[in-house]
Structure formats: C-alpha cells, structure tokens
Amino acid sequence: MVGPDKVQEDTSAFFNGLLERKFSEAEKLLYSIELGLVFYKSSRRASSKKVENNPDYIKGYIKALEGMLTAARSGDDRTFINRTAPDAGNLEEHRRQFTVFVRNSSLHSAFDRGFFSGWLDFIVHQQKFLGEKKTV
C-alpha cells in the first residue's frame, strides 16, 4: 500500500469497509486517504519513492478506490468488484494479472500503474481477509 503508516491503516480499514458493506465508513476513510496522500506527496519524505511521489500515480490510486466504492455500493453484478468470486484461486489469478500491469512501466502510464496498484492492494487485502475468516 502507498503512503505513510496512517494512510496504509486507513486504506486497510477502507477495504474492510467495502468487504463488510459499510459504505459510509469507507467513504470517510477515502477522504482521509486522499488527504494523506496529497500531503505525503508534497512532503520531503516522499522524495525517496519515485512512484508514490508521482501525482498521476496517486490520482490513479485514488480513482481506483473511488471506483471500488461506487461499484460496491451499486451492487451491480456487472462490475468487477461485485462479480469476482472471493475464492483463493480466483483472487490469486487476479493478483498475478494486476502485478503484471503495475510492474510494466514501459507500457502503462503512472496513472494506470497507480490505478492497478489500488486494485492489487485490494486483492491482496481480500486474500488476507478471507484467510483470517477461515481461521476464526
């Protein structure tokens, strides 16, 4: 996940909100994530991380989160977030595909890499979330 610890914590809580269908909570966290990333990219601490410091990367990441919230809230089965079966094999396949998009910097813009990084973070979080539910 991108940004400082507080943004990472908020992003994790945002993903939990999506998975638990707590959309009002997720929306508040999205605003906090966006503010945290905007302040982070303008700080000196971000200068050592090229990708995270790129405004287009951050815009792409935020747009992915906004899209997840809108799609999950809609409940429309045609959207990726609502039609993706939450099983380990399916999530692993999507994780691999998103990883390829994120790593392929020569074919994708910073915005695209940020966008797919947001989705990759969600898939990885969902894998952990499902793993925790199985052990409980």
Side-chain angles (χ1 to χ4, degrees), residues 16-135:
N16 284 338
L18 290 180
L19 294 170
E20 296 167 359
R21 303 193 58 78
K22 296 178 180 175
F23 300 130
S24 294
E25 190 176 303
E27 190 168 20
K28 290 174 190 169
L29 287 162
L30 179 59
Y31 181 71
S32 176
I33 294 164
E34 188 169 7
L35 281 178
L37 288 176
V38 167
F39 288 125
Y40 179 68
K41 79 173 182 184
S42 63
S43 74
R44 292 183 188 172
R45 293 175 294 168
S47 62
S48 65
K49 296 184 178 182
K50 286 184 178 179
V51 175
E52 292 179 14
N53 196 27
N54 186 317
D56 290 334
Y57 180 93
I58 292 170
K59 286 177 189 174
Y61 194 89
I62 294 297
K63 283 297 178 189
L65 301 186
E66 288 173 353
M68 288 175 206
L69 178 59
T70 300
R73 187 178 268 161
S74 76
D76 187 343
D77 289 336
R78 295 174 292 175
T79 61
F80 178 79
I81 199 167
N82 292 321
R83 70 178 159 90
T84 303
D87 66 71
N90 195 18
L91 290 174
E92 183 60 23
E93 178 59 28
H94 291 305
R95 187 196 61 76
R96 277 190 238 130
Q97 291 172 354
F98 288 133
T99 300
V100 169
F101 282 123
V102 169
R103 288 187 180 161
N104 198 343
S105 61
S106 62
L107 293 179
H108 300 290
S109 68
F111 180 92
D112 291 341
R113 289 190 311 277
F115 184 85
F116 288 113
S117 290
W119 276 102
L120 178 59
D121 287 349
F122 177 68
I123 295 294
V124 169
H125 181 86
Q126 195 173 16
Q127 288 176 313
K128 290 178 186 174
F129 184 81
L130 290 173
E132 290 171 7
K133 284 179 86 173
K134 284 181 182 178
T135 60

